[in-house]
Amino acid sequence: MGLSKQVTFSLACAVVLSALIPGAAGYLSARVESIEAAERNLHAQEARLNARLARETRPVSYPAPCDVQPARPIREQPAPAAFVPAPEYKPDFKPRKRERQPVVVPPAWLPE
């Protein structure tokens, strides 16, 4: 007596699902457990770090009041100088067939 194709297909699906569902459930539960273990590890690390920081923290005490220094008098800023041309440009390398630029003489009205 032969099984019909529909019954054979139903049995094959049941066999596949009977292996697939527990496998997927085991995989997912293992992932959740690993995440929870990582979270516990992180909390333990944070607790150790906070304990170390608490040990290394020292209270600050001020045995004497700070001396208040009087403010320094404001110095007058010198007046900005008029434009003074830069000294002649002298490069370290030899210029290629370029004439040197003349030095610009400051105007007579400019104080030295």
Side-chain angles (χ1 to χ4, degrees), residues 83-91 100-106:
F83 174 74
V84 178
E88 182 179 0
Y89 177 68
K90 296 181 181 177
R100 293 184 180 219
Q101 299 293 327
V103 175
V104 178
V105 179

Side-chain angles (χ1 to χ4, degrees), residues 12-110:
C13 286
V15 169
V16 168
L17 289 177
S18 69
L20 187 66
I21 291 174
Y27 172 76
L28 291 176
S29 67
R31 292 285 295 203
V32 169
E33 286 178 13
S34 68
I35 290 171
E36 289 172 351
E39 188 175 1
R40 284 191 303 271
N41 188 12
L42 176 63
H43 288 302
Q45 291 280 351
E46 286 177 343
R48 284 196 295 268
L49 179 62
N50 288 336
R52 182 191 308 174
L53 289 176
R55 277 194 317 266
E56 291 177 357
T57 303
R58 295 194 172 102
V60 177
S61 61
Y62 298 102
C66 297
D67 293 333
V68 178
Q69 298 288 331
R72 288 192 223 170
I74 300 174
R75 293 187 298 166
E76 291 186 24
Q77 297 293 328
F83 174 74
V84 178
E88 182 179 0
Y89 177 68
K90 296 181 181 177
D92 293 338
F93 61 92
K94 293 183 180 180
R96 289 179 271 160
K97 298 182 180 179
R98 293 172 68 190
E99 296 179 8
R100 293 184 180 219
Q101 299 293 327
V103 175
V104 178
V105 179
W109 54 265
L110 181 66

